[in-house]
Amino acid sequence: METIRKIRNAHHRDHKPIRQIARDMHLSRNTVRTILRSDVTELHYERKVQPAPKLDVFKVSLTQELEEDARKPRKQRCSALLLFEQVQREGFTGGYDSVRRFVRRWKREAQEPIKAFVPLSFAPGEAFQFDWGYEPIELAGVNVRVKIAQFRLCHSRAPFCVAYLRESLEMLLDAHVKAFQFFGGACRKGIYDNLKAVVTKVLLGKDRVFNRRFQNLASHSLFEPVACTPTAGWEKGQIERQVGLVRQRLFAKRRKFATLEELNLWLAEECRGLAATLKHPEFPERTVAEVADRERRSLVNVRVPFDGYQETVARVTSTALVSFDRNRYSVHAACVGKTVMVRAYADQVAFVHNGRVVGLHPRQFGRDKTAFDPWHYLDVLKHKPGALRNGTPFQSWDLPESLQQVKALRQGRSDGDRQFVAILASVPTYGLEAVGQACTTALAAGPVSRDVILNLFSRSGEEPTAESCPEPARPIWQSPSPVR
């Protein structure tokens, strides 16, 4: 560059001829003439053809290896050093640099051109984006990979995350309900990729056949679902970036939690913290949380939350059990041999027969687990009181202390089981708390039996009905939709 500057100054400023410049600077006249005619200030030399006589024989095998590598995951691909060692074993006597240059040139030529994108902007309350993320954590001392449902308001960039052990339809429905409660409403449009739980069939263009229960959610929450083009992640680029941000900021190290509820409380607080600290890209003077507060006025709010369950049909076995999701749950004994509707929620399972809930259990994850409610078998105990001793549902029955004492006193007697079952049979009429208090009174007075308990209730002058009494531990019959 210094030589070119001197040549240009000597000719254009000092008006020296080419012959004199060449003589003074010990250059050929052709070199001086080329510099002056091209009017450049810097020259670059690039070799157009790189001779590699020793490598020519091995270029075919190297190309085949690189083509196979391109179809493998990035972590499983060979480096240029490994390819160099491979061709060395085949008889290559040249240097590593020639192999490295060949690999670099092949990758540059085979690389797909970078695509151009158009920046998108959204009005307040216009759209939100959804996607799943997968993060390894330690939950209750066990290493698991939780599925994190992630939402993002497109205008304010406000994030929300909630974790589940599955990514089935009922989890997705529950995630939407919690997200709309967190944001204070729903947008007019939801943007998704072609999730199997959401999209039943992909048609031409943007036409999709959505899942029936998901359509119920969209209709209830007043938003329109929009599915992206397959393999076109840039159509929901905000949520794609958020998945990476959450992984980098929140799960860079393995987190430990005792329960899933603890994890979700932590995620909600972290989302609020991110929104309060991150600056909005379009409004640098405001944080994401400040823009989200303004966007909340434009969200669509529905007073009654959606009942997010997935419903299937199942048959009740002779032991009053229903199989669902590789686990078994008890229902009211009156439903033995009948079909019930299984309503699977994210955290519980309800069983409905003829419009009434006949069983309600916390949801079990894993396999071959059985959830019993002993009160479901009360009608069976009236006819078979001996089952109280070894019946599996009654092994860990959580009864009030007074009832436990009565049971221990009646054990070993000829009619002990029958008497105790008769006392339990009064619970649906008088309520568990009232029967427990009556047992306490009877224990203080002397021996306890069914007649003593009923006598205490008759002396109290009250004869409550089943409808006015509180139910035992978990309701046996109630409205179709369990309280969330």
Side-chain angles (χ1 to χ4, degrees), residues 293-323:
D293 289 338
R294 297 192 177 189
E295 187 180 16
R296 190 172 290 112
R297 308 167 191 169
S298 305
L299 299 179
V300 180
N301 199 352
V302 180
R303 295 182 180 178
V304 180
F306 181 73
D307 197 12
Y309 61 83
Q310 183 180 10
E311 196 170 54
T312 57
V313 180
R315 190 173 183 83
V316 184
T317 66
S318 59
T319 53
L321 294 174
V322 178
S323 296

PDB file of all heavy atoms in Angstrom, residues 293-323:
ATOM      1  N   ASP A 293     -47.578  -4.166  30.701  1.00  0.00           N
ATOM      2  CA  ASP A 293     -48.664  -3.532  31.469  1.00  0.00           C
ATOM      3  C   ASP A 293     -49.599  -2.747  30.559  1.00  0.00           C
ATOM      4  O   ASP A 293     -50.820  -2.763  30.753  1.00  0.00           O
ATOM      5  CB  ASP A 293     -48.076  -2.613  32.542  1.00  0.00           C
ATOM      6  CG  ASP A 293     -47.420  -3.406  33.663  1.00  0.00           C
ATOM      7  OD1 ASP A 293     -47.777  -4.590  33.835  1.00  0.00           O
ATOM      8  OD2 ASP A 293     -46.542  -2.851  34.355  1.00  0.00           O
ATOM      9  N   ARG A 294     -49.040  -2.079  29.559  1.00  0.00           N
ATOM     10  CA  ARG A 294     -49.885  -1.342  28.624  1.00  0.00           C
ATOM     11  C   ARG A 294     -50.626  -2.287  27.684  1.00  0.00           C
ATOM     12  O   ARG A 294     -51.777  -2.032  27.317  1.00  0.00           O
ATOM     13  CB  ARG A 294     -49.036  -0.362  27.817  1.00  0.00           C
ATOM     14  CG  ARG A 294     -48.373   0.712  28.675  1.00  0.00           C
ATOM     15  CD  ARG A 294     -47.786   1.810  27.813  1.00  0.00           C
ATOM     16  NE  ARG A 294     -47.211   2.881  28.626  1.00  0.00           N
ATOM     17  CZ  ARG A 294     -46.780   4.033  28.134  1.00  0.00           C
ATOM     18  NH1 ARG A 294     -46.845   4.264  26.824  1.00  0.00           N
ATOM     19  NH2 ARG A 294     -46.268   4.953  28.937  1.00  0.00           N
ATOM     20  N   GLU A 295     -49.954  -3.386  27.300  1.00  0.00           N
ATOM     21  CA  GLU A 295     -50.607  -4.320  26.382  1.00  0.00           C
ATOM     22  C   GLU A 295     -51.762  -5.065  27.058  1.00  0.00           C
ATOM     23  O   GLU A 295     -52.693  -5.515  26.381  1.00  0.00           O
ATOM     24  CB  GLU A 295     -49.593  -5.330  25.851  1.00  0.00           C
ATOM     25  CG  GLU A 295     -50.161  -6.247  24.757  1.00  0.00           C
ATOM     26  CD  GLU A 295     -49.163  -7.235  24.237  1.00  0.00           C
ATOM     27  OE1 GLU A 295     -48.127  -7.444  24.893  1.00  0.00           O
ATOM     28  OE2 GLU A 295     -49.423  -7.829  23.167  1.00  0.00           O
ATOM     29  N   ARG A 296     -51.723  -5.186  28.380  1.00  0.00           N
ATOM     30  CA  ARG A 296     -52.766  -5.915  29.087  1.00  0.00           C
ATOM     31  C   ARG A 296     -54.150  -5.330  28.836  1.00  0.00           C
ATOM     32  O   ARG A 296     -55.155  -6.048  28.860  1.00  0.00           O
ATOM     33  CB  ARG A 296     -52.446  -5.931  30.586  1.00  0.00           C
ATOM     34  CG  ARG A 296     -53.344  -6.874  31.383  1.00  0.00           C
ATOM     35  CD  ARG A 296     -52.858  -7.010  32.818  1.00  0.00           C
ATOM     36  NE  ARG A 296     -51.613  -7.753  32.877  1.00  0.00           N
ATOM     37  CZ  ARG A 296     -50.447  -7.221  33.227  1.00  0.00           C
ATOM     38  NH1 ARG A 296     -50.368  -5.920  33.525  1.00  0.00           N
ATOM     39  NH2 ARG A 296     -49.355  -7.939  33.260  1.00  0.00           N
ATOM     40  N   ARG A 297     -54.231  -4.042  28.554  1.00  0.00           N
ATOM     41  CA  ARG A 297     -55.537  -3.420  28.274  1.00  0.00           C
ATOM     42  C   ARG A 297     -56.134  -3.922  26.974  1.00  0.00           C
ATOM     43  O   ARG A 297     -57.357  -3.876  26.785  1.00  0.00           O
ATOM     44  CB  ARG A 297     -55.378  -1.899  28.205  1.00  0.00           C
ATOM     45  CG  ARG A 297     -54.679  -1.285  29.407  1.00  0.00           C
ATOM     46  CD  ARG A 297     -54.287   0.158  29.123  1.00  0.00           C
ATOM     47  NE  ARG A 297     -53.392   0.700  30.143  1.00  0.00           N
ATOM     48  CZ  ARG A 297     -52.741   1.835  30.025  1.00  0.00           C
ATOM     49  NH1 ARG A 297     -52.883   2.570  28.916  1.00  0.00           N
ATOM     50  NH2 ARG A 297     -51.947   2.259  30.996  1.00  0.00           N
ATOM     51  N   SER A 298     -55.294  -4.402  26.059  1.00  0.00           N
ATOM     52  CA  SER A 298     -55.768  -4.867  24.755  1.00  0.00           C
ATOM     53  C   SER A 298     -56.041  -6.363  24.714  1.00  0.00           C
ATOM     54  O   SER A 298     -56.478  -6.872  23.685  1.00  0.00           O
ATOM     55  CB  SER A 298     -54.739  -4.512  23.667  1.00  0.00           C
ATOM     56  OG  SER A 298     -54.454  -3.127  23.663  1.00  0.00           O
ATOM     57  N   LEU A 299     -55.772  -7.085  25.798  1.00  0.00           N
ATOM     58  CA  LEU A 299     -55.992  -8.523  25.812  1.00  0.00           C
ATOM     59  C   LEU A 299     -57.471  -8.853  26.008  1.00  0.00           C
ATOM     60  O   LEU A 299     -58.217  -8.089  26.617  1.00  0.00           O
ATOM     61  CB  LEU A 299     -55.169  -9.177  26.930  1.00  0.00           C
ATOM     62  CG  LEU A 299     -53.643  -9.007  26.833  1.00  0.00           C
ATOM     63  CD1 LEU A 299     -52.968  -9.695  28.014  1.00  0.00           C
ATOM     64  CD2 LEU A 299     -53.121  -9.560  25.520  1.00  0.00           C
ATOM     65  N   VAL A 300     -57.863 -10.001  25.500  1.00  0.00           N
ATOM     66  CA  VAL A 300     -59.243 -10.480  25.630  1.00  0.00           C
ATOM     67  C   VAL A 300     -59.347 -11.294  26.909  1.00  0.00           C
ATOM     68  O   VAL A 300     -58.609 -12.271  27.093  1.00  0.00           O
ATOM     69  CB  VAL A 300     -59.642 -11.341  24.414  1.00  0.00           C
ATOM     70  CG1 VAL A 300     -61.079 -11.828  24.565  1.00  0.00           C
ATOM     71  CG2 VAL A 300     -59.468 -10.557  23.129  1.00  0.00           C
ATOM     72  N   ASN A 301     -60.247 -10.905  27.793  1.00  0.00           N
ATOM     73  CA  ASN A 301     -60.376 -11.561  29.091  1.00  0.00           C
ATOM     74  C   ASN A 301     -61.704 -12.290  29.177  1.00  0.00           C
ATOM     75  O   ASN A 301     -62.757 -11.728  28.884  1.00  0.00           O
ATOM     76  CB  ASN A 301     -60.278 -10.536  30.225  1.00  0.00           C
ATOM     77  CG  ASN A 301     -59.940 -11.183  31.551  1.00  0.00           C
ATOM     78  OD1 ASN A 301     -59.927 -12.402  31.663  1.00  0.00           O
ATOM     79  ND2 ASN A 301     -59.676 -10.369  32.547  1.00  0.00           N
ATOM     80  N   VAL A 302     -61.649 -13.581  29.540  1.00  0.00           N
ATOM     81  CA  VAL A 302     -62.841 -14.398  29.730  1.00  0.00           C
ATOM     82  C   VAL A 302     -62.995 -14.662  31.218  1.00  0.00           C
ATOM     83  O   VAL A 302     -62.041 -15.068  31.885  1.00  0.00           O
ATOM     84  CB  VAL A 302     -62.732 -15.729  28.951  1.00  0.00           C
ATOM     85  CG1 VAL A 302     -63.984 -16.566  29.152  1.00  0.00           C
ATOM     86  CG2 VAL A 302     -62.520 -15.450  27.477  1.00  0.00           C
ATOM     87  N   ARG A 303     -64.181 -14.441  31.750  1.00  0.00           N
ATOM     88  CA  ARG A 303     -64.377 -14.541  33.191  1.00  0.00           C
ATOM     89  C   ARG A 303     -64.215 -15.972  33.701  1.00  0.00           C
ATOM     90  O   ARG A 303     -63.600 -16.211  34.728  1.00  0.00           O
ATOM     91  CB  ARG A 303     -65.771 -14.018  33.556  1.00  0.00           C
ATOM     92  CG  ARG A 303     -65.973 -12.528  33.278  1.00  0.00           C
ATOM     93  CD  ARG A 303     -67.345 -12.071  33.704  1.00  0.00           C
ATOM     94  NE  ARG A 303     -67.544 -10.640  33.441  1.00  0.00           N
ATOM     95  CZ  ARG A 303     -68.673  -9.985  33.682  1.00  0.00           C
ATOM     96  NH1 ARG A 303     -69.715 -10.643  34.196  1.00  0.00           N
ATOM     97  NH2 ARG A 303     -68.771  -8.702  33.419  1.00  0.00           N
ATOM     98  N   VAL A 304     -64.798 -16.941  32.998  1.00  0.00           N
ATOM     99  CA  VAL A 304     -64.764 -18.332  33.447  1.00  0.00           C
ATOM    100  C   VAL A 304     -63.592 -19.034  32.769  1.00  0.00           C
ATOM    101  O   VAL A 304     -63.533 -19.080  31.539  1.00  0.00           O
ATOM    102  CB  VAL A 304     -66.080 -19.054  33.105  1.00  0.00           C
ATOM    103  CG1 VAL A 304     -66.031 -20.498  33.589  1.00  0.00           C
ATOM    104  CG2 VAL A 304     -67.262 -18.313  33.725  1.00  0.00           C
ATOM    105  N   PRO A 305     -62.637 -19.598  33.519  1.00  0.00           N
ATOM    106  CA  PRO A 305     -61.505 -20.293  32.887  1.00  0.00           C
ATOM    107  C   PRO A 305     -61.959 -21.565  32.192  1.00  0.00           C
ATOM    108  O   PRO A 305     -62.955 -22.188  32.566  1.00  0.00           O
ATOM    109  CB  PRO A 305     -60.567 -20.596  34.059  1.00  0.00           C
ATOM    110  CG  PRO A 305     -61.445 -20.589  35.264  1.00  0.00           C
ATOM    111  CD  PRO A 305     -62.527 -19.580  34.986  1.00  0.00           C
ATOM    112  N   PHE A 306     -61.210 -21.956  31.184  1.00  0.00           N
ATOM    113  CA  PHE A 306     -61.547 -23.151  30.405  1.00  0.00           C
ATOM    114  C   PHE A 306     -61.276 -24.406  31.237  1.00  0.00           C
ATOM    115  O   PHE A 306     -60.287 -24.483  31.970  1.00  0.00           O
ATOM    116  CB  PHE A 306     -60.713 -23.179  29.129  1.00  0.00           C
ATOM    117  CG  PHE A 306     -60.982 -24.350  28.234  1.00  0.00           C
ATOM    118  CD1 PHE A 306     -62.151 -24.425  27.493  1.00  0.00           C
ATOM    119  CD2 PHE A 306     -60.058 -25.375  28.136  1.00  0.00           C
ATOM    120  CE1 PHE A 306     -62.400 -25.507  26.671  1.00  0.00           C
ATOM    121  CE2 PHE A 306     -60.287 -26.456  27.308  1.00  0.00           C
ATOM    122  CZ  PHE A 306     -61.468 -26.525  26.579  1.00  0.00           C
ATOM    123  N   ASP A 307     -62.175 -25.383  31.128  1.00  0.00           N
ATOM    124  CA  ASP A 307     -62.022 -26.651  31.829  1.00  0.00           C
ATOM    125  C   ASP A 307     -61.141 -27.554  30.973  1.00  0.00           C
ATOM    126  O   ASP A 307     -61.623 -28.287  30.110  1.00  0.00           O
ATOM    127  CB  ASP A 307     -63.400 -27.279  32.065  1.00  0.00           C
ATOM    128  CG  ASP A 307     -63.363 -28.368  33.130  1.00  0.00           C
ATOM    129  OD1 ASP A 307     -62.346 -28.468  33.835  1.00  0.00           O
ATOM    130  OD2 ASP A 307     -64.352 -29.114  33.250  1.00  0.00           O
ATOM    131  N   GLY A 308     -59.847 -27.501  31.202  1.00  0.00           N
ATOM    132  CA  GLY A 308     -58.889 -28.130  30.291  1.00  0.00           C
ATOM    133  C   GLY A 308     -58.648 -29.594  30.585  1.00  0.00           C
ATOM    134  O   GLY A 308     -57.703 -29.947  31.290  1.00  0.00           O
ATOM    135  N   TYR A 309     -59.467 -30.457  30.048  1.00  0.00           N
ATOM    136  CA  TYR A 309     -59.273 -31.891  30.215  1.00  0.00           C
ATOM    137  C   TYR A 309     -59.360 -32.587  28.871  1.00  0.00           C
ATOM    138  O   TYR A 309     -59.934 -32.075  27.912  1.00  0.00           O
ATOM    139  CB  TYR A 309     -60.324 -32.486  31.168  1.00  0.00           C
ATOM    140  CG  TYR A 309     -61.757 -32.333  30.688  1.00  0.00           C
ATOM    141  CD1 TYR A 309     -62.317 -33.227  29.782  1.00  0.00           C
ATOM    142  CD2 TYR A 309     -62.557 -31.289  31.153  1.00  0.00           C
ATOM    143  CE1 TYR A 309     -63.621 -33.083  29.341  1.00  0.00           C
ATOM    144  CE2 TYR A 309     -63.855 -31.136  30.717  1.00  0.00           C
ATOM    145  CZ  TYR A 309     -64.386 -32.039  29.821  1.00  0.00           C
ATOM    146  OH  TYR A 309     -65.679 -31.887  29.376  1.00  0.00           O
ATOM    147  N   GLN A 310     -58.769 -33.791  28.816  1.00  0.00           N
ATOM    148  CA  GLN A 310     -58.914 -34.672  27.665  1.00  0.00           C
ATOM    149  C   GLN A 310     -59.774 -35.851  28.087  1.00  0.00           C
ATOM    150  O   GLN A 310     -59.526 -36.469  29.126  1.00  0.00           O
ATOM    151  CB  GLN A 310     -57.553 -35.169  27.178  1.00  0.00           C
ATOM    152  CG  GLN A 310     -57.631 -36.040  25.933  1.00  0.00           C
ATOM    153  CD  GLN A 310     -56.262 -36.509  25.475  1.00  0.00           C
ATOM    154  OE1 GLN A 310     -55.287 -36.324  26.189  1.00  0.00           O
ATOM    155  NE2 GLN A 310     -56.179 -37.116  24.308  1.00  0.00           N
ATOM    156  N   GLU A 311     -60.773 -36.183  27.296  1.00  0.00           N
ATOM    157  CA  GLU A 311     -61.783 -37.162  27.702  1.00  0.00           C
ATOM    158  C   GLU A 311     -61.674 -38.447  26.887  1.00  0.00           C
ATOM    159  O   GLU A 311     -61.540 -38.418  25.664  1.00  0.00           O
ATOM    160  CB  GLU A 311     -63.183 -36.561  27.535  1.00  0.00           C
ATOM    161  CG  GLU A 311     -64.269 -37.312  28.264  1.00  0.00           C
ATOM    162  CD  GLU A 311     -65.577 -36.549  28.265  1.00  0.00           C
ATOM    163  OE1 GLU A 311     -66.040 -36.163  27.165  1.00  0.00           O
ATOM    164  OE2 GLU A 311     -66.140 -36.319  29.357  1.00  0.00           O
ATOM    165  N   THR A 312     -61.712 -39.578  27.591  1.00  0.00           N
ATOM    166  CA  THR A 312     -61.743 -40.896  26.968  1.00  0.00           C
ATOM    167  C   THR A 312     -62.767 -41.762  27.691  1.00  0.00           C
ATOM    168  O   THR A 312     -63.267 -41.399  28.767  1.00  0.00           O
ATOM    169  CB  THR A 312     -60.366 -41.581  27.020  1.00  0.00           C
ATOM    170  OG1 THR A 312     -59.938 -41.666  28.394  1.00  0.00           O
ATOM    171  CG2 THR A 312     -59.332 -40.807  26.219  1.00  0.00           C
ATOM    172  N   VAL A 313     -63.072 -42.919  27.123  1.00  0.00           N
ATOM    173  CA  VAL A 313     -64.036 -43.854  27.691  1.00  0.00           C
ATOM    174  C   VAL A 313     -63.286 -45.058  28.238  1.00  0.00           C
ATOM    175  O   VAL A 313     -62.342 -45.553  27.619  1.00  0.00           O
ATOM    176  CB  VAL A 313     -65.069 -44.294  26.631  1.00  0.00           C
ATOM    177  CG1 VAL A 313     -66.072 -45.262  27.232  1.00  0.00           C
ATOM    178  CG2 VAL A 313     -65.786 -43.074  26.058  1.00  0.00           C
ATOM    179  N   ALA A 314     -63.699 -45.544  29.418  1.00  0.00           N
ATOM    180  CA  ALA A 314     -63.076 -46.718  30.026  1.00  0.00           C
ATOM    181  C   ALA A 314     -64.135 -47.528  30.757  1.00  0.00           C
ATOM    182  O   ALA A 314     -65.215 -47.013  31.100  1.00  0.00           O
ATOM    183  CB  ALA A 314     -61.960 -46.318  30.983  1.00  0.00           C
ATOM    184  N   ARG A 315     -63.841 -48.800  30.997  1.00  0.00           N
ATOM    185  CA  ARG A 315     -64.753 -49.701  31.687  1.00  0.00           C
ATOM    186  C   ARG A 315     -64.244 -49.986  33.095  1.00  0.00           C
ATOM    187  O   ARG A 315     -63.051 -50.171  33.314  1.00  0.00           O
ATOM    188  CB  ARG A 315     -64.918 -51.009  30.909  1.00  0.00           C
ATOM    189  CG  ARG A 315     -66.026 -51.912  31.437  1.00  0.00           C
ATOM    190  CD  ARG A 315     -66.256 -53.098  30.524  1.00  0.00           C
ATOM    191  NE  ARG A 315     -67.355 -53.932  30.972  1.00  0.00           N
ATOM    192  CZ  ARG A 315     -68.630 -53.682  30.713  1.00  0.00           C
ATOM    193  NH1 ARG A 315     -68.963 -52.618  29.974  1.00  0.00           N
ATOM    194  NH2 ARG A 315     -69.582 -54.488  31.156  1.00  0.00           N
ATOM    195  N   VAL A 316     -65.180 -50.060  34.058  1.00  0.00           N
ATOM    196  CA  VAL A 316     -64.839 -50.299  35.454  1.00  0.00           C
ATOM    197  C   VAL A 316     -64.750 -51.802  35.692  1.00  0.00           C
ATOM    198  O   VAL A 316     -65.649 -52.558  35.321  1.00  0.00           O
ATOM    199  CB  VAL A 316     -65.880 -49.664  36.391  1.00  0.00           C
ATOM    200  CG1 VAL A 316     -65.449 -49.834  37.843  1.00  0.00           C
ATOM    201  CG2 VAL A 316     -66.061 -48.186  36.073  1.00  0.00           C
ATOM    202  N   THR A 317     -63.654 -52.237  36.300  1.00  0.00           N
ATOM    203  CA  THR A 317     -63.469 -53.662  36.577  1.00  0.00           C
ATOM    204  C   THR A 317     -64.292 -54.089  37.787  1.00  0.00           C
ATOM    205  O   THR A 317     -64.914 -53.271  38.481  1.00  0.00           O
ATOM    206  CB  THR A 317     -61.985 -53.963  36.832  1.00  0.00           C
ATOM    207  OG1 THR A 317     -61.581 -53.294  38.046  1.00  0.00           O
ATOM    208  CG2 THR A 317     -61.127 -53.474  35.675  1.00  0.00           C
ATOM    209  N   SER A 318     -64.272 -55.381  38.078  1.00  0.00           N
ATOM    210  CA  SER A 318     -65.031 -55.913  39.213  1.00  0.00           C
ATOM    211  C   SER A 318     -64.459 -55.452  40.549  1.00  0.00           C
ATOM    212  O   SER A 318     -65.135 -55.554  41.578  1.00  0.00           O
ATOM    213  CB  SER A 318     -65.036 -57.448  39.161  1.00  0.00           C
ATOM    214  OG  SER A 318     -63.699 -57.945  39.201  1.00  0.00           O
ATOM    215  N   THR A 319     -63.229 -54.955  40.563  1.00  0.00           N
ATOM    216  CA  THR A 319     -62.632 -54.405  41.785  1.00  0.00           C
ATOM    217  C   THR A 319     -62.754 -52.885  41.850  1.00  0.00           C
ATOM    218  O   THR A 319     -62.011 -52.229  42.588  1.00  0.00           O
ATOM    219  CB  THR A 319     -61.145 -54.806  41.868  1.00  0.00           C
ATOM    220  OG1 THR A 319     -60.484 -54.430  40.657  1.00  0.00           O
ATOM    221  CG2 THR A 319     -61.009 -56.303  42.081  1.00  0.00           C
ATOM    222  N   ALA A 320     -63.675 -52.329  41.057  1.00  0.00           N
ATOM    223  CA  ALA A 320     -63.959 -50.882  41.053  1.00  0.00           C
ATOM    224  C   ALA A 320     -62.733 -50.069  40.657  1.00  0.00           C
ATOM    225  O   ALA A 320     -62.490 -48.987  41.201  1.00  0.00           O
ATOM    226  CB  ALA A 320     -64.496 -50.420  42.399  1.00  0.00           C
ATOM    227  N   LEU A 321     -61.937 -50.576  39.725  1.00  0.00           N
ATOM    228  CA  LEU A 321     -60.754 -49.880  39.246  1.00  0.00           C
ATOM    229  C   LEU A 321     -60.901 -49.559  37.765  1.00  0.00           C
ATOM    230  O   LEU A 321     -61.522 -50.310  37.016  1.00  0.00           O
ATOM    231  CB  LEU A 321     -59.497 -50.721  39.473  1.00  0.00           C
ATOM    232  CG  LEU A 321     -59.094 -50.975  40.923  1.00  0.00           C
ATOM    233  CD1 LEU A 321     -57.928 -51.942  40.985  1.00  0.00           C
ATOM    234  CD2 LEU A 321     -58.742 -49.676  41.630  1.00  0.00           C
ATOM    235  N   VAL A 322     -60.310 -48.445  37.357  1.00  0.00           N
ATOM    236  CA  VAL A 322     -60.304 -48.019  35.959  1.00  0.00           C
ATOM    237  C   VAL A 322     -58.855 -47.826  35.547  1.00  0.00           C
ATOM    238  O   VAL A 322     -58.086 -47.143  36.246  1.00  0.00           O
ATOM    239  CB  VAL A 322     -61.099 -46.713  35.760  1.00  0.00           C
ATOM    240  CG1 VAL A 322     -61.033 -46.266  34.306  1.00  0.00           C
ATOM    241  CG2 VAL A 322     -62.544 -46.899  36.194  1.00  0.00           C
ATOM    242  N   SER A 323     -58.481 -48.425  34.425  1.00  0.00           N
ATOM    243  CA  SER A 323     -57.113 -48.281  33.909  1.00  0.00           C
ATOM    244  C   SER A 323     -57.038 -47.060  33.011  1.00  0.00           C
ATOM    245  O   SER A 323     -57.868 -46.878  32.116  1.00  0.00           O
ATOM    246  CB  SER A 323     -56.704 -49.525  33.122  1.00  0.00           C
ATOM    247  OG  SER A 323     -56.655 -50.655  33.967  1.00  0.00           O
TER     248      SER A 323
END
